[in-house]
Amino acid sequence: VWGIDASPEMLSQSRKRNSNAIDSGRLTLIEGSTASLAAIAPVDIIFANHVLYFWHQPADELTRLHGFLVGSGIPALAYQLRQNMPSMPQRQFPRAGHILYESDEDVAALLRSTGFTNISHMVKGSPEAPEGRVTFATA
């Protein structure tokens, strides 16, 4: 399993929360771009936590990830839809060239366009005020 986080602070938090899985060799967390994964590929699962917005060419990034997964590998994309984000990111992210997603179907369409199938979504919290979302697919 490999995970990529958007910032060194998030990576540090992930390391603390997942120290048992890291220590046992079940999880590797790497800071960097999707290209950083080449060193440990192929992998079974890639968990990308709140980085989808920052990929200016998301189809290119997902295509790259697809190539790093084993045949039945799973990408897990954690994100928040635009309307559920705090107002500051809703305003500032697009100004900085970041992509916000309006619906889970937008994310699913992106995954399908890069060869992923069997797409499913999970919502953490209530649908009216979700704490976050995760979309899974298969390579």
Side-chain angles (χ1 to χ4, degrees), residues 52-133:
L52 187 58
Y53 333 107
F54 304 109
W55 291 339
H56 293 178
Q57 301 294 326
D60 293 347
E61 299 295 340
L62 287 168
T63 298
R64 201 170 291 119
L65 291 181
H66 195 284
F68 294 134
L69 288 163
V70 297
S72 59
I74 298 171
L77 305 176
Y79 57 96
Q80 192 64 281
L81 295 177
R82 182 200 53 77
Q83 64 269 22
N84 301 119
M85 291 179 141
S87 59
M88 189 283 297
Q90 286 187 40
R91 289 188 315 274
Q92 298 298 327
F93 279 21
R95 289 181 193 157
H98 305 312
I99 301 169
L100 301 183
Y101 296 85
E102 300 295 326
S103 70
D104 290 326
E105 180 50 37
D106 290 346
V107 176
L110 178 61
L111 284 160
R112 279 192 299 275
S113 76
T114 58
F116 289 100
T117 60
N118 301 317
I119 299 162
S120 63
H121 310 281
M122 291 180 59
V123 177
K124 181 179 180 188
S126 72
E128 299 79 32
E131 297 170 40
R133 311 175 105 70

Side-chain angles (χ1 to χ4, degrees), residues 29-53:
L29 296 171
I30 299 172
E31 179 183 358
S33 69
T34 55
S36 303
L37 185 54
I40 62 168
V43 296
D44 298 309
I45 299 171
I46 297 172
F47 181 72
N49 188 30
H50 293 284
V51 297
L52 187 58
Y53 333 107

